[in-house]
Structures are given as structure tokens and as C-alpha cells.
């Protein structure tokens, strides 16, 4: 029977490959257009239609318009990739209808990339690119730095350095294959050949044969299919991407999220077929334990242990739930994963179901994510059609089905027991644990709840080895974490880095730092349940434990960058407003405590606070933290406690001096016009909504402080910097 | 003594069906055939709100009858979740994202400008029934912060100064639609 599973899978895989071949992908031009909520909001649908029209008008049949998910390069969307056979892929940013037309006529018809529209303005002259991995597993024998060796040899061979570039990337993620020998991973584009280079001799051989002659050096070549090959093939030259390690987001922006065959073509469902043919759920649980995978939803509970707990409790029925109720404001990795690669989450869930013996599983998705819901539904239907879901999956004796249940905008439903109540059709209120859901969960049966990202990690972990997965992260936490980088940062978007990467790497090397020459003040992690990390801890490696020690949490991975213009008391107030509004009202500490804490914060930001308010706030915060019923209440005071811990001086400035150092709290600031700078252009007076600015043309203007509502419009519109915020 | 039992179940059922659309009734009947029919309550309410735009008292009663769940529970669920509305809304629902990224990037000022221009507060509808202004939980497009949604369309990187034009364009859109329907 085990052979049945494998042969059934091979049949599917064969079919997928045939489809791939038949589509003529290898020798046609491919135009990739992103298609996630964010891409569409940025105008991707318009761009898609424009390309459609252009292709039709040109009458060419050698162009494929390919829909892909989102890569997570949010601030530059919509992103369009143009792949021509034998050429380096070119990506365009912020494409509009007009620029789509330009790209089509100049690049696709004319053959010359439109340099000024490309992502990061990477040189479209590029013929070949050598990418060196600098992950900690990569290294060479001897003391020569492989990068310099490559540089030397390229020069010596007389190659044009503008056409043949050399770059370093954070990690190619190919370590799974070569970990037993000392060598460096090198990828040569556009052929996307991966080599393992040990010394100068190898370098010379690659340059002489591959770069000069265009012949692949078989002796040094990696024969397997490394996990992020496709990703780096497409995005390896963009600075934002090449410092990342993509495991759970491996297919995002690479495959068509609505095509099962494309997913299978990139090794999709292979891990499932291996698990089913192995026939031993305990073996699976052991692998997950070994990989040190910890729950990505925020708690960081070891996934393997959770599975083991559920498996231990004998019962005729067990349930598996995928928590896609991504309620943290500022986190969007789950949405992106479900929209860009729904099959990998489904595969993770079926494997999970097999491991714990669940025959029914649920996706609990936010109703605010309509596109994600549509894509999951479609993916589930495809899986059922191909025998990957339902009765006797892939011909094995394991049966399981998945269904979608919608949330309805309650943050507390991210809590396990509240989520269970919500699926049961009740008000989403939590209950006391124990019993934990792994013992008594949905309808009283053992239930495992894992996050979207956790499930997306399951297939690669099995396919490339649990020891490899463990080696990617830190001692107690394996693998990578996806962060949703947003706020005051150059490059907003999704960043997947190994556990233990420093904040500096994420914020500066990947995120590109703070725009406008401003100073970084703090980084807020973990959403409303998290805390702030001041700029001085930038070199702290990030994982569950280090963030906890700093008074914050990993949470689901939202990372909001705050600069000097952000007031920390105001930030604490923002989160408290959120938690207060989301408190379900079941237990008193959370229901009443959040309200009182919010009142105190409001008092402080209004300039009516007293020093004893700070003590009260601290006492109340620790009370709520210690006595609330569920995780939401227990974590609600975190933003206050962590801002008080790291930014007490800001609180004191509000209370003692009635001053907001960041000039954010409205009641504590006022606007003034500098007579020396004002030229009397009347711009401010014309824009003032309350008409409280007086002064004629070419006269110095004055703001009437009594009438002023401090909307700041004069400050924004003045072109002479004459309006001061004090 | 004779106890007269009046069975008005059929009458109640047919009245309940009238309050909903045939598709929703079929969906509910389908749910009652499944295991744990009550667990589909939230999905049913989504369907009702998707069609009517809000959950009226009549509809809540009808759902309670057809799904055989106490009205108290249906109301309890409908009022617990933020997504559900018990009042009719304007033709264009303007949602301003209340997520952290949007807040940091100045959503508060966009919101003030919206209130200013529309002359209503968050949670209210303009007297002509054209616009409703609401705050929404993070829509997950933080890269485009601050974000405003008008019905299902996302507008990213909104500045307060874009607001008058945004409102104007939707009024024009409504007028154009009306003209079309007259023709």
C-alpha cells in the first residue's frame, strides 16, 4: 500500500511536469504580475488588463501572462517580472497602466529593458550574476575570502564587471544539501546553477568554463533542487530580498497561487506523500520535535510537543485547526501566505492531521480577508478533485477533510479557547485552561491549533530534513520567522529571516533604515500584546526568549518601526484603546483594568497627569497581567509596562513639564508662525479650516491660539518652514 | 380539562423564509443537515449581512427560527463580533484602517479630515444616506499605510488633502449610476 501512495504521487507529479512542458514555459517570454490584496490595491489588476490588451494587439503567441502571489515588497507594488529565455529576469516596480505599456513596447517588443522603471534600478545590462552565500554554514578551506578570490579571477579573465556582477546574500538556504562538507554555495544566474566551491581552483574553473564559455561545470554542481532556488532565481538581485532566507514564503511571488500543478511542480505535496507512505505518525511527531519548530502564532510553544499531547489523548475524534485570524494590527504575513501559496498551508495541515490522527480540520479565517478565503476555497476544491483531500488520501487509509470557518472581527478569537467557541458558533469568549485544547477542545475532543506560518513550515522541514531546519535557527528555536515590517521604514514588506537574526539586520540591511534622515526611536513587536524595544538593543538577536527578556514578545511577527516623531505614551494609549475595545468582558481585571489604564493614559496625554498616576498605572498593569483569564488580558498591559520601563522619561515629561517630547500629543503642543521666516504667501491662512490665521498678502501671519484646533494643516502646507510646532 | 395546542410552526417558518432570500434559506437548510448545525451560525450571519448590508431584527429572528437557535443567542453572537452591523449603512461605507502601521503613518489626521468633510463622526451615516464612516481592524495592507477603504476598494497612502477629491469622486459616481438607471 505504501507504494500506492508514492506511485499515486508520482503520477500527479508527472502530470504536473507534462503540463509545465506543454505550456512552453522554457522558451516563451513570461510576464509575471502580482495578485494579492495589497498588489490589487496598488493597481495590479489594471496592469494585468493592460498587458492582456497589449499581448492581444501584438498578436504574439510566445508570451505567457503569469499570475503570481505577492513577494512582500509592499512599498514598491505592483511588481511585474519579465522573464526572457536565457536572460536575467527583470523586475519592474510601481507599475501603472502607462508604464506597463512602455514595458511592453520597449522591453518585450524592443528587447531592451526599461532601466528607469526597474526595481532597485538594478542594471539591466547584467549578463551574468554570481551570488555568494554568507550563511554561517558556508565557508571555505584556507584563509582566502572567496568573494575576493572571485573578484580577482573575474578581473584576471578580463570580463566586464558591469556585465558580470558579484554579490553577497544573507543565506541561499541550500545548506540542507552540503552541510557535511566545508564549502560555499554559489549560484550563477541566469542559468541558476548552484555550485559548491571549496577553493581558488574551483573558482577558476567556474569562471573559465561557465562565465566565459557558458558551459556548466558538472563536477562542482549541486544535483538536488534547493529550497529557495526559484525564489533567488527571480529576486536574487534585489537588495530587499537577498538578505532573507525564504522557507515558509518559498513560493510567494513565484508560483500561481491558484494552480495546483505549479505547486506540485515545485515539489508540492511530496512531503505529504513521504509522510503517508512512511505510515508512522509518531515518526512525524519526532521529526517536528527534532526540528525545534515553535508555534509561529506568538506563544512559541513547541509544535511537536503540542502534536504529541493531542496524540496521547485517546479519542475517536480529534480536530486540527489552522488559526488564520490574524488580528494583530500591523501583521499581514498570514494573509500574504494564504493568498500567495495556499497549498503549502493545506499540505502542512494534512500532514498535521495525519500526525495527530485528526480526520477533520478547519481554517479559521478573518472575514476581512476575502481574497484569501476565495483562494483557500479554490485550493481545497482542487485538492479534493485530485485525491489529496477527502477519503483515502493518495490511496492510503488516511482520510481527512478541511473546511473554512469565518471569523467576524474579534481580536480575542486569536486565543485558542475563544477561537474554539467561535467555530462552535458561540460568542468568542475564552475559558479557563486547563483542560488544554489538546485534551478537550472543539466539541470536547482533543484539538490542535496551529498558526498559518507554522503549517507552511511543515513540508520543507520534512523534505529537507529536521536537522537542517533546526540548524537554521538558534539553539532552542529552529527555522525562520516572517516579520511584517511597517511604520517609519524605507522598505515596508515581508521579511523572512532565520531565528536569531539581529534587529539591525532587519531594520537597516533589509528594511533600508528610516526615511527622511530621522532617528530610530524604538521597534514595536508583537502587536497590542507586545512591547517596544528601544534603539539601543538593535544588536540583540531576535527569538522568542530574547524578546521576552526585553519585555516584549515575538507575537505573530508584526514589526512597527517608530522614529523620533512618535510619542511613546501615545503609542501605549493607542494599544490600550485597542485592547480595551477588544476585551470580551468576561473577566473583571481585563474588562475594568484596561478601561482604567486607558483613562490614566488619556489624562497624561492631556497634560492632566500627576506623578502618582505612573505608580497607579504600574500597579494596575501588573494586576491585570497577573489575574486576567486569558492571554489577551494578560498581555494587554505589556505596551504600558514596556514603555514605562524603557521610556519613563517621556512619561515624566508629560506629567511634570506638561510637554510632549515628540510633539505628538495635541493638547500639549501649539503652532506658531516665525515672523522672520513668514513671507506672507497666505498659503496657511487659505488652508486653515477654522480661519484662525490672520494677515494679508506679504504680511507676517499670526495664529489665533484660542481658535486654533491644532490640526497641523498650516504646518504641512508652509513652504518656507515658517510654522513651528512647539 | 382540554388543553388546546396551537401549532403555528409552519406559519412562523414561512414568515421566516420570507424575511430572507431563497439562497440564504437554502444555505441554512443545508447547514441543518450537517454535523453540529449551530456551529454555522456565524457563516449564516455573514451571508445575511452580505445580502442586506446589515442584520435587521427581522432577519435575526428568521435565522433563529430556521437554524433552531434561541434568538437571544443569535443576538448575542451578532452583537459580540465587530464585523456585524445592526443598523443600515450608507451607500458608500468609508472604512479607515485603525491598524498600528496606519496610525503611525497618520491615519488619525486622515480620519479627522474625513469627519470634517462629511460632517459626521466615526460610526455615523450622512443624513442623505450616501456615506457611512467606520473604523476597521487592520486590513493587512500595511505597506500602503495609511489606508482607507471605500466599500471594497482599497486606497493606499492617503493624505488628508486627498479626502475632498475622494469624496467628490464618489458623489459623482453615485450621480452617474443614477443617471444610467434612469436611462
Amino acid at each position: 500500500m505504501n507504494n500506492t501512495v508514492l506511485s499515486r504521487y508520482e503520477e500527479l507529479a508527472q502530470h504536473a511536469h507534462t503540463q509545465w512542458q506543454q505550456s512552453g514555459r522554457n522558451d516563451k517570454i513570461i510576464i509575471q504580475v502580482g495578485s494579492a490584496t495589497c498588489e490589487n490595491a496598488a493597481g495590479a489588476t489594471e496592469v494585468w488588463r493592460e498587458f492582456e490588451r497589449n499581448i492581444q494587439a501584438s498578436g504574439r503567441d510566445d508570451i505567457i501572462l503569469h499570475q503570481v502571489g505577492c513577494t512582500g515588497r509592499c512599498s514598491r507594488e505592483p511588481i511585474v517580472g519579465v522573464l526572457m529565455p536565457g536572460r536575467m529576469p527583470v523586475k519592474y516596480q510601481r507599475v501603472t497602466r502607462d508604464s506597463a505599456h512602455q514595458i511592453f513596447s520597449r522591453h518585450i517588443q524592443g528587447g531592451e529593458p526599461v532601466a528607469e522603471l526597474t526595481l532597485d534600478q538594478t542594471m539591466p545590462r547584467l549578463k551574468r550574476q554570481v551570488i555568494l552565500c554568507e550563511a554561517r554554514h558556508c565557508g571555505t578551506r584556507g584563509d582566502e575570502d572567496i568573494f575576493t578570490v572571485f573578484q580577482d579571477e573575474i578581473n584576471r579573465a578580463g570580463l566586464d564587471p558591469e556585465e558580470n556582477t558579484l554579490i553577497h546574500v544573507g543565506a541561499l538556504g541550500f545548506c540542507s544539501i552540503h552541510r557535511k562538507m566545508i564549502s560555499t554555495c554559489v549560484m550563477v544566474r541566469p542559468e541558476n546553477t548552484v555550485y559548491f566551491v571549496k577553493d581558488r581552483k574551483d573558482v577558476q574553473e567556474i569562471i573559465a568554463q561557465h562565465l566565459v564559455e557558458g558551459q556548466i561545470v558538472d563536477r562542482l554542481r549541486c544535483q538536488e533542487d534547493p529550497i529557495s532556488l526559484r525564489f533567488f532565481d527571480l529576486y536574487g538581485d534585489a537588495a530587499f530580498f537577498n538578505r532573507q532566507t525564504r522557507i515558509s514564503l518559498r513560493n510567494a511571488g513565484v508560483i500561481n497561487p491558484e494552480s495546483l500543478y505549479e505547486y506540485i511542480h515545485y515539489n508540492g505535496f511530496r512531503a505529504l506523500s513521504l509522510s503517508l507512505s512512511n505510515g508512522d505518525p509518531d515518526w512525524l511527531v519526532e521529526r517536528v520535535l527534532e526540528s525545534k519548530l515553535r508555534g509561529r502564532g506568538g506563544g512559541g510553544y513547541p509544535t511537536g510537543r503540542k502534536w504529541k499531547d493531542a496524540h496521547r489523548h485517546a479519542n475517536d475524534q480529534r480536530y486540527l485547526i489552522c488559526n488564520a485570524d490574524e488580528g494583530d494590527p500591523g501583521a499581514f504575513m498570514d494573509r500574504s501566505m494564504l493568498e500567495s501559496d495556499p497549498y503549502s498551508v493545506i499540505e502542512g495541515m494534512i500532514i498535521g492531521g495525519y500526525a495527530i490522527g485528526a480526520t477533520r480540520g478547519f481554517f479559521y479565517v478573518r472575514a476581512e480577508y476575502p481574497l484569501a478565503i476565495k483562494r483557500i476555497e479554490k485550493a481545497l476544491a482542487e485538492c479534493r478533485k485530485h485525491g489529496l483531500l477527502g477519503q483515502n488520501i493518495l490511496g492510503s487509509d488516511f482520510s481527512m477533510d478541511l473546511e473554512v470557518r469565518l471569523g467576524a472581527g474579534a481580536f480575542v478569537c486569536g486565543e485558542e479557547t475563544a477561537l474554539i467557541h467561535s467555530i462552535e458558533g458561540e460568542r468568542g469568549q475564552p475559558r479557563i485552561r486547563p483542560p488544554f485544547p489538546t485534551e478537550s477542545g472543539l466539541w470536547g475532543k482533543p484539538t490542535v491549533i496551529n498558526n498559518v506560518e507554522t503549517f507552511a513550515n511543515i513540508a520543507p522541514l520534512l523534505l529537507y530534513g529536521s536537522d537542517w531546519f533546526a540548524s537554521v535557527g538558534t539553539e532552542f528555536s529552529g527555522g525562520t520567522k516572517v516579520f511584517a515590517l511597517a511604520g517609519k521604514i524605507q522598505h515596508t514588506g515581508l521579511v523572512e529571516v532565520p531565528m536569531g537574526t539581529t534587529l539591525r539586520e532587519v531594520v537597516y540591511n533589509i528594511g533600508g533604515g528610516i526615511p527622511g534622515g530621522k532617528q530610530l526611536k524604538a521597534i514595536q513587536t508583537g502587536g497590542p500584546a507586545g512591547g517596544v524595544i528601544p534603539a539601543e538593543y538593535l544588536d540583540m538577536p531576535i527569538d522568542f526568549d530574547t524578546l521576552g527578556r526585553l519585555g516584549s514578545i515575538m507575537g505573530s511577527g508584526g514589526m512597527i518601526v517608530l522614529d523620533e516623531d512618535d510619542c511613546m505614551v501615545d503609542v501605549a494609549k493607542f494599544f490600550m484603546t485597542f485592547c480595551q475595545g477588544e476585551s470580551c468582558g468576561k473577566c473583571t481585571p481585563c474588562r475594568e483594568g484596561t478601561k482604567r489604564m486607558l483613562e490614566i493614559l488619556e489624562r497624561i496625554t492631556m497634560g492632566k497627569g500627576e506623578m502618582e498616576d505612573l505608580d497607579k498605572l504600574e500597579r494596575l498593569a501588573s494586576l491585570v497581567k497577573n489575574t486576567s483569564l486569558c492571554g489577551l488580558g494578560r498581555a494587554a498591559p505589556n505596551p504600558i509596562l514596556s514603555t514605562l520601563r524603557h521610556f519613563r522619561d517621556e512619561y515624566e515629561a508629560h506629567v511634570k513639564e506638561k510637554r510632549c517630547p515628540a510633539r505628538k500629543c495635541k493638547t500639549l503642543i501649539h503652532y506658531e508662525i516665525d515672523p522672520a521666516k513668514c513671507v506672507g504667501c497666505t498659503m496657511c491662512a487659505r488652508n486653515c479650516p477654522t480661519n484662525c490665521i490672520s494677515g494679508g498678502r506679504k504680511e507676517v501671519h499670526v495664529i489665533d491660539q484660542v481658535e486654533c484646533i491644532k490640526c497641523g494643516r498650516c504646518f504641512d502646507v508652509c513652504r518656507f518652514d515658517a510654522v513651528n510646532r512647539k | 380539562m382540554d388543553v388546546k395546542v396551537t401549532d403555528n410552526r409552519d406559519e412562523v417558518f414561512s414568515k421566516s423564509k420570507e424575511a430572507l432570500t431563497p439562497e440564504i434559506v437554502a444555505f441554512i437548510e443545508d447547514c441543518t443537515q450537517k454535523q453540529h448545525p449551530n456551529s454555522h451560525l456565524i457563516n449564516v450571519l455573514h451571508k445575511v449581512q452580505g445580502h442586506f448590508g446589515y442584520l435587521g431584527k427581522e432577519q435575526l429572528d428568521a435565522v433563529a427560527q430556521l437554524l433552531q437557535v434561541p434568538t437571544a443567542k443569535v443576538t448575542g453572537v451578532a452583537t459580540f463580533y465587530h464585523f456585524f452591523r445592526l443598523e443600515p449603512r450608507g451607500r458608500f461605507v468609508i472604512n479607515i484602517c485603525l491598524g498600528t502601521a496606519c496610525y503611525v503613518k497618520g491615519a488619525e489626521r486622515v480620519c479627522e479630515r474625513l469627519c470634517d468633510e462629511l460632517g459626521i463622526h466615526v460610526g455615523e451615516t450622512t443624513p442623505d444616506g450616501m456615506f457611512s464612516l467606520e473604523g476597521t481592524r487592520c486590513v493587512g495592507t500595511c505597506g500602503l499605510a495609511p489606508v482607507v477603504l471605500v466599500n471594497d476598494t482599497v486606497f493606499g497612502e492617503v493624505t488628508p488633502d486627498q479626502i475632498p477629491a475622494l469624496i467628490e469622486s464618489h458623489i459623482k459616481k453615485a450621480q452617474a449610476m443614477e443617471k444610467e438607471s434612469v436611462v
Side-chain angles (χ1 to χ4, degrees), chain A residues 575-626:
Chain A
F575 284 118
M576 197 38 70
T577 314
F578 182 87
C579 290
Q580 196 265 323
E582 291 296 335
S583 173
C584 77
K586 185 168 178 173
C587 75
T588 319
C590 173
R591 184 183 64 235
E592 300 298 327
T594 52
K595 194 154 181 68
R596 299 295 161 245
M597 285 191 282
L598 179 61
E599 281 168 5
I600 296 176
L601 286 174
E602 270 167 356
R603 223 156 48 219
I604 294 174
T605 53
M606 302 275 281
K608 290 177 189 159
E610 284 156 29
M611 277 313 278
E612 62 176 17
D613 277 338
L614 299 189
D615 298 332
K616 248 188 231 166
L617 203 54
E618 239 167 355
R619 252 198 343 264
L620 204 51
S622 60
L623 181 89
V624 174
K625 190 175 179 155
N626 292 326

Side-chain angles (χ1 to χ4, degrees), chain A residues 335 407 409 427 570 582 716, chain B residues 46 76 82 103 109 137-138 140:
Chain A
R335 175 185 63 73
R427 289 162 71 95
D570 188 62
E582 291 296 335
D716 290 339
Chain B
H46 273 298
H82 301 288
Y103 183 76
R109 294 187 48 206
R137 301 294 160 203
C138 185

Side-chain angles (χ1 to χ4, degrees), chain A residues 605-677:
Chain A
T605 53
M606 302 275 281
K608 290 177 189 159
E610 284 156 29
M611 277 313 278
E612 62 176 17
D613 277 338
L614 299 189
D615 298 332
K616 248 188 231 166
L617 203 54
E618 239 167 355
R619 252 198 343 264
L620 204 51
S622 60
L623 181 89
V624 174
K625 190 175 179 155
N626 292 326
T627 55
S628 288
L629 172 73
C630 80
L632 183 140
R634 280 197 292 267
N638 276 349
I640 292 185
L641 288 170
S642 84
T643 46
L644 265 175
R645 174 172 159 192
H646 298 297
F647 294 97
R648 202 178 177 96
D649 53 327
E650 282 198 31
Y651 279 87
E652 286 177 0
H654 280 78
V655 174
K656 282 189 192 157
E657 303 162 39
K658 310 292 175 207
R659 180 176 70 85
C660 173
R663 297 189 202 97
K664 174 97 196 207
C665 297
K666 237 182 186 179
T667 19
L668 302 182
I669 54 164
H670 68 276
Y671 291 91
E672 268 174 24
I673 295 175
D674 184 350
K677 284 184 180 166

Side-chain angles (χ1 to χ4, degrees), chain A residues 32-99:
Chain A
Q32 291 188 318
V33 183
S35 70
T37 305
C38 41
E39 295 261 11
N40 292 348
T45 28
E46 276 285 293
V47 170
W48 174 275
R49 273 191 230 118
E50 181 66 23
F51 277 117
E52 248 175 4
R53 271 195 293 271
N54 279 302
I55 294 173
Q56 220 170 19
S58 71
R60 290 176 65 162
D61 59 356
D62 60 339
I63 304 170
I64 300 175
L65 198 50
H66 187 217
Q67 164 182 280
V68 293
C70 126
T71 37
R73 187 69 169 86
C74 305
S75 46
R76 301 289 173 85
E77 286 172 347
I79 289 178
V80 167
V82 175
L83 283 67
M84 287 185 164
R87 302 269 288 269
M88 290 278 288
V90 179
K91 271 92 47 199
Y92 294 101
Q93 60 176 358
R94 295 192 166 223
V95 180
T96 59
R97 245 175 77 178
D98 291 342
S99 56

Side-chain angles (χ1 to χ4, degrees), chain A residues 228-515:
Chain A
S228 32
L229 180 70
R230 294 297 304 171
F231 179 77
F232 282 108
D233 161 18
L234 287 172
Y235 301 102
D237 55 339
F240 178 75
F241 295 118
N242 60 27
R243 316 294 306 182
Q244 304 190 29
T245 304
R246 293 239 169 171
I247 295 176
S248 55
L249 287 172
R250 63 196 177 280
N251 290 327
V254 176
I255 64 164
N256 179 352
E258 297 186 8
S259 163
L260 174 65
Y261 284 128
E262 277 188 33
Y263 180 66
I264 293 179
H265 181 77
Y266 293 125
N267 279 325
F269 290 106
R270 189 172 289 279
L272 174 69
S273 75
L274 292 175
S275 316
L276 291 178
S277 66
N278 183 289
D280 183 7
D282 291 332
W283 174 84
L284 270 176
V285 174
E286 279 308 313
R287 294 288 83 71
V288 177
L289 272 173
E290 259 174 30
S291 73
K292 297 179 186 160
L293 172 66
R294 290 170 67 173
R296 297 294 193 250
Y301 191 77
T303 307
R305 213 185 298 164
K306 207 182 230 181
W307 288 12
K308 206 173 186 168
D309 286 347
H311 199 222
R312 212 184 46 212
H313 288 102
N315 210 307
D316 53 333
Q317 175 77 61
R318 297 188 189 90
Y319 294 108
L320 185 75
I321 299 171
C322 172
N323 183 352
D325 187 48
E326 190 175 45
D328 274 12
F332 49 98
M333 61 288 286
D334 293 354
R335 175 185 63 73
S336 179
M337 261 174 228
L338 293 171
E339 285 177 356
S340 304
D341 193 14
Y343 290 103
S344 86
V345 182
I346 295 175
E347 184 177 3
M349 283 187 75
I350 306 173
I351 296 172
Y354 183 64
I356 65 162
T359 52
R360 261 182 97 186
F362 297 89
F363 271 101
Y364 185 77
V365 196
R366 290 181 76 192
E368 286 92 336
Y369 289 172
L371 185 65
I373 295 165
K374 195 187 115 199
R375 293 219 163 128
I376 302 167
E377 297 268 19
K378 193 165 174 191
L380 291 178
E382 282 291 304
C383 287
R384 279 188 206 110
K385 215 165 85 191
H386 289 86
L388 291 160
L389 260 186
Q391 291 298 313
N392 302 89
I393 293 172
L394 284 173
S396 68
D397 51 6
F398 176 64
S399 304
M400 185 185 192
D401 207 356
L402 300 176
E403 59 180 285
V404 175
R405 289 296 169 98
L406 300 187
F411 179 65
V412 68
C413 288
E415 203 276 343
E416 291 196 335
T417 55
L419 190 154
I420 287 172
H421 283 150
S422 184
I423 291 186
E424 288 171 350
E426 308 271 337
R427 289 162 71 95
Q429 287 181 318
R431 63 157 172 80
I432 290 173
R433 299 185 302 179
F436 287 93
T438 44
E439 190 187 334
S440 169
L442 196 59
W443 296 300
K445 309 284 185 191
T447 305
V448 165
I449 303 174
N450 283 133
N451 174 264
V452 172
E453 194 185 333
T454 312
F455 283 123
N457 274 310
I458 299 291
L461 161 178
L462 293 169
L463 216 49
Y464 294 91
S466 46
D467 44 347
W468 159 73
F469 192 85
S471 76
V472 172
T474 59
E475 194 186 344
F476 300 108
S477 182
T480 55
K481 177 77 193 89
V482 182
F483 292 99
L485 200 56
K488 308 282 179 62
I489 184 103
Q490 286 282 4
H491 310 319
T492 49
L494 292 179
V495 177
E496 182 168 357
V497 287
M499 291 281 179
T501 307
T502 62
L503 280 168
R504 184 183 300 280
E505 174 77 16
V506 174
V507 173
Y508 285 96
N509 294 350
I510 297 174
I514 320 296

